[in-house]
């Protein structure tokens, strides 16, 4: 579940990284994925704008796209790329055996 604080924290993170290089990864459907280098251009209250380097095109994404992992963003920190949001930890579901009384 996404909370308002999650969105607010992501907004400030992205606002701090305006002008930095990133890698955007996402799905195109039917098991097709894309991975492109871009730069964060601007951040607005509900969306942020990235500019792809290969075709000089601007694309907007919402913060919920990143939080729901529809789009994955990795930020260049000078040496390497690191994910903007850490990988989710999978929790194993506990199954209880139904008991008959």
């Amino acid at each position: 579940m996404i909370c308002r604080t999650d969105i607010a924290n992501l907004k400030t993170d992205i606002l701090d990284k305006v002008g930095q290089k990133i890698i955007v990864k996402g799905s195109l459907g039917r098991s097709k994925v894309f991975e492109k280098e871009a730069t964060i251009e601007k951040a607005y209250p509900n969306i942020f704008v990235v500019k792809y380097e290969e075709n000089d095109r601007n694309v907007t994404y919402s913060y919920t796209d990143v939080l729901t992992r529809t789009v994955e963003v990795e930020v260049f920190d000078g040496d390497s790329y690191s994910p903007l949001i850490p990988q989710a930890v999978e929790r194993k579901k506990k199954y209880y055996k139904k008991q008959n009384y």
Side-chain angles (χ1 to χ4, degrees), residues 42-57:
K42 296 179 183 177
Y44 295 104
N46 296 322
I47 59 170
F48 62 98
V49 180
V50 299
K51 186 173 195 172
Y52 289 135
E53 292 181 2
E54 71 180 32
N55 56 7
D56 225 23
R57 190 175 135 212

Side-chain angles (χ1 to χ4, degrees), residues 1-3 6-7 10 62-72 85 88:
M1 185 170 179
I2 299 173
C3 301
D6 295 337
I7 295 173
L10 182 61
S62 70
Y63 301 109
T64 54
D65 288 340
V66 177
L67 290 172
T68 59
R69 303 194 190 284
T70 304
V71 175
E72 293 180 21
I85 296 179

Side-chain angles (χ1 to χ4, degrees), residues 18-32:
V18 169
Q20 280 191 296
K21 281 186 158 187
I22 60 170
I23 291 180
V24 180
K25 297 178 184 177
S27 174
L28 297 172
R30 292 190 174 233
S31 301
K32 295 179 185 175

Side-chain angles (χ1 to χ4, degrees), residues 74-93:
E74 294 183 357
V75 181
F76 186 68
D77 61 4
D79 295 329
S80 61
Y81 287 92
S82 59
L84 186 61
I85 296 179
Q87 292 293 326
V89 177
E90 287 188 31
R91 296 181 182 162
K92 293 184 179 181
K93 294 182 180 180

